[in-house]
Amino acid sequence: MAKTLYDKLWESHVVHAEEDGTALLYIDRHLVHEVTSPQAFEGLKLAGRKPWRISSIVATADHNTPTSHWERGIEDPISRQQVETLDVNIREVGALAYFPFKDKRQGIVHVIGPENGATLPGMTVVCGDSHTSTHGAFGCLAHGIGTSEVEHVLATQCLLQKKSKAMLVRIDGKVGAGVTAKDIVLALIGKIGTAGGTGYAIEFGGSAIRALSMEGRMTVCNMAIEAGARVGFVAVDETTIAYLKDKTFAPKGGDWDKAVAYWRTLVSDADAKFDAVVELDAASIVPQVTWGTSPEMVTGINGSVPAPEDYSDPVKREGVERALQYMGLTPRMPINQVKIDKVFIGSCTNSRIEDLRAAAVVARGRHVAASVKLALVVPGSGLVKAQAEAEGLDKIFIAAGFEWRQPGCSMCLAMNDDRLEPGERCASTSNRNFEGRQGNGGRTHLVSPAMAAAAAIAGRFADVRELL
Amino acid sequence: MEKFIKHEGLVVPLDRANVDTDAIIPKQFLKSIKRSGFGPNAFDEWRYMDHGEPGKDCAGRPKNPNFVLNQDRYQGASILLTRQNFGCGSSREHAPWALQDFGFRAIIGDSFADIFFNNCFKNGLLPIVLPKAEMDALFGLTEHTPGYRLTVDLAAQLVVRPDGHAIPFQIDGFRKECLLNGWDDIGLTLRHAEKIRDYEDRRKREQPWLFA
């Protein structure tokens, strides 16, 4: 019978299945960070258990780490304790690799895995972080998990999981200039909603996905969770294989050839059946901007903020009313008239080298508007930062009035000092525009890196296509 | 894990869709390295008028009188009614920890986000999905009946109203058994240790690069 890629990834990892279909899936790669792991390590220790396979673990500190003044260390004592707890736990337990605070390869867990070749096609990947779906870009089955599951994987190398339904999101055609992977995935979420993918594993396919770089595919898979799907992935092709060649933890020599031959089988069979198919025409997608407090509340740059009366469902209508009030927006306001206070370019969605290049193209020779209080560029990792500096991108940003920071999660979730103050409005390349996400009372609008740079320069949302 | 067999308790209606885990427990409280103590900060930004920080005593903080959990009639509630896509967003297990620490044993909604739903079962907190018509009725009854209580019977898979109307709900057999018995997942999985080792040995031969 013809199989989907999901079938293939699932079946190759089932160790044991219960009668009701609940399966024990073997986990190949366990990514660990400081926020969701301390209680898991403690639980393991209290139960007198040992980790099953430490060579599956790749760890880093990212959520709490500061992005400036590294010479001062981590000044917030509670954040420091959490990062130090990870240091102690990894020192005691061991790992394939650990990139602690200030290490030159430290960075956001979903950036460092792929860039070091620790994420490989056909793997099951888990991390105590919902954006683990990012790794699906490599033809992996990558699940975000809770802390109890982190402990379960540490102790057993397995995850208890029930198979989801399979959804194919097919995006064909060619996107226009200035339209990026971020715009594709925001347009998709706008179409199917934040619960549209709940209960599904999403395979992203079609010519527009095939045309994306690995960085672009990671951006799309990263936000599968924002569409409700715990896993999202892209089939392996030459782009995948070329990206992995010579990466630190990628196979070498004879193993490389053997691995590549296997990886090429990681595609859905031509006549495979999906439980649901969603289609999008790439050519019709324009640069996107979210206006509300859920990623599905999104419009094109030529669009307007909606009015509550546009919605017939009372729960939805009330949600829109509450979102407009929180966001300080009036119905029917064109989105390109919305002024911003801050700009954040970074996060596991958009902090890779391609993202920084796209923002730099817009920033080059221009300047951040005087009304913008802060425009941050936070590279996803030490390696991304070094690459960007080798290309001179840091100088472009600094000359344009952006701040060039150290790597980390930063203002995506504001666990460090990078945050919005109450009422401040931000053009952000991150993944969530929930109430308070970037700081208590802060107002987040999700955009692509190029659109964030355009907003920084205009002081309001602007169509990046007019700046290219 | 605490067993869940049958629970009877006061119901509080949180009539909102897409309640995300950042709302359930804001990020500043995720810096804790413990599993307990999150209850006072559950829904922190909605419950209090000021900004909460870890270590701040919540007893004297100004409460938002409009937030449903603060209303006198719902004090002591242990069953939360909510709308679609509850628990969306981050995978933080601090969200079910906070709800449980607050005093909830069951959450009844139109639908739940996947990771949150999963995390609840690891902590003896029961998420229940009911059809929209039943949810609408329960919201109406809860709002119009002071002291409205429900009984959640996991063994029978029923939510029972005081008027005797019993609403069936679905749950995976394996999850149900674990909750009824308070079983620890890890202990259960380790019974299959030999199978895990066999699987590992085979993969090592077939795909050695995964074990480098």
Side-chain angles (χ1 to χ4, degrees), chain A residues 12-16 18 20 22 24 26 28 35 38-39 49 52-53 55 64 76 78-79 81-82 85 96 120 122-123 128-130 144-149 151-152 155-158 160 162 194-195 198 225-226 228 230 251 255 258-259 262-263 296 313 315 318 322 413-415 419 432 434-440, chain B residues 15-18 20-23 27-28 30-35 38 45-46 50-55 83-85 88-94 97 111-115 118-119 122-123 132 172-175 184-187 189-197 199-200 202-212:
Chain A
S12 62
H13 288 88
V14 174
V15 172
H16 170 81
E18 299 289 340
D20 73 348
T22 305
L24 270 185
Y26 187 81
D28 298 311
V35 178
Q39 298 89 346
R49 290 174 174 134
W52 186 281
R53 184 164 73 82
S55 68
N64 276 284
D76 173 357
I78 318 176
S79 289
Q81 182 193 30
Q82 199 165 50
T85 302
L96 173 72
L120 297 172
M123 274 184 167
D129 190 288
S130 60
I145 59 178
T147 298
S148 293
E149 290 175 314
E151 185 181 340
H152 190 275
T156 71
Q157 211 58 40
C158 291
L160 274 165
K162 232 181 151 179
T194 49
T198 305
I225 185 68
E226 259 48 74
R230 201 175 185 187
D255 270 354
K258 231 177 122 182
Y262 170 64
W263 295 344
E296 70 187 21
D313 173 9
V315 176
E318 222 171 288
R322 189 177 301 120
L413 85 168
M415 277 188 78
R419 66 183 65 167
R432 291 194 173 126
F434 299 155
E435 289 182 21
R437 171 80 179 182
Q438 294 192 294
N440 184 20
Chain B
D15 198 356
R16 293 189 188 194
N18 297 317
D20 60 75
T21 55
D22 277 85
K27 74 290 218 136
Q28 62 268 36
L30 271 47
K31 296 177 184 181
S32 167
I33 57 171
K34 302 202 177 324
R35 271 176 194 262
F38 297 103
E45 290 186 10
W46 293 347
D50 64 344
H51 177 66
E53 280 296 331
R83 293 293 187 179
Q84 58 270 36
N85 205 27
C88 59
S90 137
S91 67
R92 60 189 69 166
E93 199 162 317
H94 312 67
W97 293 339
S111 66
F112 292 88
D114 208 22
I115 304 179
N118 208 49
N119 283 340
K122 312 291 179 189
N123 293 283
K132 189 162 184 317
D172 290 342
F174 182 74
R175 282 178 163 152
D184 156 27
D185 276 356
I186 298 177
T189 298
L190 287 173
R191 293 184 312 177
H192 303 294
E194 205 171 319
K195 273 190 170 177
I196 303 171
R197 268 189 288 271
Y199 174 91
E200 231 170 20
R202 180 168 60 79
R203 294 289 301 291
K204 273 180 195 164
R205 287 192 303 274
E206 293 171 2
Q207 300 182 1
W209 62 86
L210 292 175
F211 296 86

